[in-house]
Each structure stands twice: as C-alpha cells, then as structure tokens.
Amino acid sequence: MIGYYAHHHGAGHLTRMQSIAAVLDEPVWGLSSGPRPPGWTGGWTDLARDDDPPAGHRSERDLTAHGVLHWVPLHHDGLARRAAQLTTWAADERPRAVVVDVSVEVALLARLAGVPTVVVAMPGRRDDRAHRLAYDTADALLAPWPRGAHDLHWPDRWVDKAWFVGGISRFDGRELPATSTDPATPGSHAAGPGTPGAPGDRTVLLLWGAGGRSTTDADVRAARAATPGWIWVERSPGHDGSSDLWDDLQRADVIVTHAGQNAVAEAAAARRPAVVVAQPRPHAEQEWTARRIDDWRIAVGRTEWPEPEDWPELLELAVSRGGHGWARWSDGTGAQQVADHLTRLTTEGIAP
C-alpha cells in the first residue's frame, strides 16, 4: 500500500492524488485535513487541523522552530494529534512509501517512522532551510513539470533523484479533436461553453481554482469590456458554469487561467491556446511558471493581471502561438510515469 498526503489548501493536491491513484496497481491510502474526495474507495485518515484552533489555543510564538521548519506552533493540540495520527498510521498500516504533497513536517514524520518518502517538488525558489531539509531527506522528488522548468537552480543531488514527469491532469488520455493543437481561428468555437454567440465571436474560458486569487471581478469586467468580439465565460468556485469542464476547455478559443500546477496541466491536456497569469503565492511559484511558459512560447505568460488595453493583443498572441506547444509541458502520461517510478522504488529500491 502507498500512502499519499494531500495538503488541504486548494483542490490541486487532492486532484493530483486521485489521478495517480487511478493508475497505480496497488491501493493508495489518503491522508489529509481536507475532505475525502467523492468516490474515493481507498483507505482514508482525516488528519487534525493545525491551523484552525479555537480562539486562544494557538501560540504565535516560534511558529517555525527557529526557522528550521515551516509550521509547528507551540502548545497546539491539533498539531500534536496530527503527529500522533501520522506516526500511529505508519506503525499500524506499514505503507511501502508515502507521497507527500506537500508538507515539510509530514515528510519528516514519515521518514522518522522509517517510511520511504517521495516529496512533491513545487515551483519557485525552494532553497530555504525547511525545503532543503525535506528535499534532502526524500528518497525521490516528484516534479510535475518538464525538466528545465523549475530545477535550473537545484543542486545535483536533487536533480539526480527527481522524477520529471510533466504536468499531471485528470484529463490526461482524453481524445483530442483534430483542431486542438492548431491555432484557433475566428468563429472556430463561436458558441463558447454554453453561451450563444454571434458569427465571428470567439470565446475566452476564464479558469480559476479554489486556492484564492488577487484578480478582482472589476479587473475581469475591464478586460471583457476591452475585448469586443470575445465572449468571456468564467469557471471558478462561486460562479455558475457547465458541468463538463473538459468540453468547456475544448470549445474555448483561448483559455485564460492562473498559473497553478493543475490549471496549467489541464490547459496542457486540452492543447488549447492560453494566457497564463500568475497569482501571488509563496516562493513566487506561479510567477516562475508563467515566466517559463512564456519563455518557451508554449502559451502567453504574465506575472500579473494585464491592463485592460493589453488584452486584445494578448488574446491574439495566444491564438497565434496555438496549442501545440503544450506537448513540451506534458505528454499526457505524467500519472502513469509516477506509478511506474513508485513501483520501481518500492520493489527494487530504485529512486530515479
């Protein structure tokens, strides 16, 4: 059995867990402070929260153990219960390995319990003391991006044990229409995702995630007003949309999305033209992703929400770059590659 810890912030960690579990030939046990995913049939441990205590029960003193860790508040009941749950689970269930997506503290607890760890590496600059500790002690690093995207500043010891599998999307393996890798043309997706449009109109699918955003509704209205001839359809928590995101992705002339790993992987799976706009995140992770996508001319990448007057040109640039460049980001086999690596690690002790 393989354990998989999924951080509760946003939905991306849980989504990636499900994609990998679906292709593994052995059971996966989920551990998270987030909700059990609908339809999950494997084992599951609801971990105590260490960031949402009753008022007055959390010490604000030394949250990082003098800068060595990321989050270990003193005298925190939830943190203590969480640590006990993890180590008891490791002793009782004897997993062959644990994938940690993501937490320095969980990675260390699993390794201290004698369990091999695969730490999901994150974009951005991750050379702080806590990240170095987690990455150094890991048996392998799972990098859900192509080699060269975020590892140029890595030491050789990390590169040597990394699994560069490309983006991992729940839509990997879906059949693509013949036009998906070609530049969009006016009217090629005129109706848009559930929105009737006049002939010649093109559709922007604005895609947000559950991790929060700094872009405001006013920013979106201004971009929409500046782009006559484009129909903007928004898909995000709190906004109505169709029930079939894959269909929406395929019908969009341009996808506009944040630079989170799962959103980028889904644009890659759909092979559609895109504008990828970074949202503020720790370690500048989305900025790094947006820059790399733009540098490689896979799509249009920007580190902040563009001014309204810039949007007409950006959408046309995305159309001209097309969707074929996404093949460099993901070949659609990321989850299967992880499964193959895990099998080798747990049966033969081979990490890279």
Side-chain angles (χ1 to χ4, degrees), residues 16-164:
R16 184 156 48 213
M17 177 190 71
Q18 293 175 87
S19 297
I20 294 170
V23 295
L24 265 172
D25 289 332
E26 63 181 298
V28 175
W29 188 298
L31 306 105
S32 182
S33 296
R36 181 198 297 254
W40 181 262
T41 59
W44 187 264
T45 298
D46 287 308
L47 293 174
R49 292 285 291 262
D50 60 2
D51 61 349
D52 189 23
H57 282 69
R58 188 183 78 198
S59 171
E60 299 293 342
R61 184 165 50 89
D62 190 19
L63 298 174
T64 64
H66 309 289
V68 177
L69 300 173
H70 281 156
W71 187 258
V72 281
L74 291 167
H75 308 301
H76 190 290
D77 292 342
L79 181 65
R81 289 197 303 273
R82 179 188 187 85
Q85 286 178 284
L86 284 162
T87 53
T88 299
W89 169 80
D92 290 346
E93 301 297 335
R94 304 301 296 271
R96 299 208 299 158
V98 174
V99 179
V100 183
D101 186 2
V102 288
S103 165
V104 170
E105 295 75 29
V106 171
L108 294 177
L109 276 170
R111 186 62 188 86
L112 287 168
V115 182
T117 60
V118 177
V119 172
V120 176
M122 297 292 284
R125 195 74 182 235
R126 303 285 173 166
D127 56 1
D128 59 279
R129 192 174 178 183
H131 274 107
R132 292 200 309 270
L133 185 58
Y135 287 18
D136 283 345
T137 57
D139 291 88
L141 297 175
L142 167 53
W145 61 74
R147 183 163 183 168
H150 299 296
D151 51 284
L152 298 180
H153 299 284
W154 279 13
D156 290 343
R157 65 183 185 275
W158 294 356
V159 175
D160 291 344
K161 62 180 176 181
W163 304 340
F164 296 104

Side-chain angles (χ1 to χ4, degrees), residues 171 174-185 188-189 245-255 266-274 298-299 318-327:
F171 300 127
R174 295 282 187 98
E175 184 176 354
L176 292 167
T179 58
S180 289
T181 58
D182 299 327
T185 54
S188 62
H189 299 73
L245 178 57
W246 177 248
D247 184 58
D248 290 352
L249 290 165
Q250 284 298 302
R251 296 170 68 190
D253 291 285
V254 175
I255 299 167
E266 290 177 353
R271 298 293 196 263
R272 298 303 303 151
I298 291 173
V319 169
S320 69
R321 290 186 177 176
H324 59 276
W326 284 116

